[in-house]
Amino acid sequence: MSWEFDILYKFQELHGPVMDKLALLFTMLSEKGVFWIILILGILLFGKDKRVGLTGWFALCLSFLLCNLILKNIIQRDRPCWIDPTIQLLVDIPDDYSFPSGHTSFAFAGAVSIFQYHKGWGFLALIAATLTGLSRLYLFVHFPTDVLVGAICGIVSGLLAGLLVRDFYKAHPGFKIPVLEKR
């Protein structure tokens, strides 16, 4: 764990007004998943290809289940800010466990869902997801392995959701979601 603190302390050397605002922005994007939920719901409601929205919705649900309900509660890893309270935080001290990073997982689940169908927008979403993960290190609320495993969980959730949705649509060509599709 000492190498992880070494990385976190290097991030602390980067602090400044602009970096602080950027880190807070990217962390806020995944706070309680609100940005990704709104984005995916918007795609589901208003996008032409409902598969993107369905994939995103399933991916976010899988990510939440895997990271926040299962792994965090099984592993119960303390956060770096709990172990070293001398670092002044820019955010409230989180009260849930550290491993894996739910913010990062949610961001990658949403980004991978979009990327599977729209490479350009998906690439931008993957950049936002990466910056979200880095912001969690910068803000001293996650260890590097928390963020890495969170990213992996999000990627796996997105890919699995995409596979399930594509297989469903192959088995049911022409399927329409009655409340979402125009007749």
Side-chain angles (χ1 to χ4, degrees), residues 53-68:
L54 284 174
T55 298
W57 191 253
F58 287 135
L60 295 179
C61 290
L62 285 170
S63 167
F64 179 76
L65 179 69
L66 181 60
C67 288
N68 293 70

Side-chain angles (χ1 to χ4, degrees), residues 46-137:
F46 304 111
K48 289 181 187 175
D49 188 349
K50 301 300 181 196
R51 296 176 308 159
V52 182
L54 284 174
T55 298
W57 191 253
F58 287 135
L60 295 179
C61 290
L62 285 170
S63 167
F64 179 76
L65 179 69
L66 181 60
C67 288
N68 293 70
L69 296 183
I70 297 174
L71 291 175
K72 279 184 188 271
N73 293 309
I74 289 173
I75 296 167
Q76 297 185 355
R77 184 181 196 185
D78 287 347
R79 290 180 177 270
C81 57
W82 297 355
I83 297 168
D84 181 358
T86 64
I87 301 296
Q88 184 177 349
L89 298 185
L90 299 173
V91 295
D92 293 334
I93 297 172
D95 57 2
D96 63 338
Y97 293 107
S98 186
F99 183 92
S101 169
H103 281 72
T104 306
S105 180
F106 230 62
F108 273 94
V112 167
S113 297
I114 296 166
F115 185 81
Q116 291 176 79
Y117 300 94
H118 301 287
K119 301 295 187 245
W121 288 110
F123 182 73
L124 293 175
L126 287 169
I127 290 171
T130 301
L131 292 172
T132 297
L134 292 173
S135 76
R136 305 305 285 165
L137 302 175

Side-chain angles (χ1 to χ4, degrees), residues 137-149:
L137 302 175
Y138 182 89
L139 294 169
F140 205 72
V141 293
H142 279 292
F143 289 104
T145 51
D146 301 341
V147 170
L148 176 63
V149 173

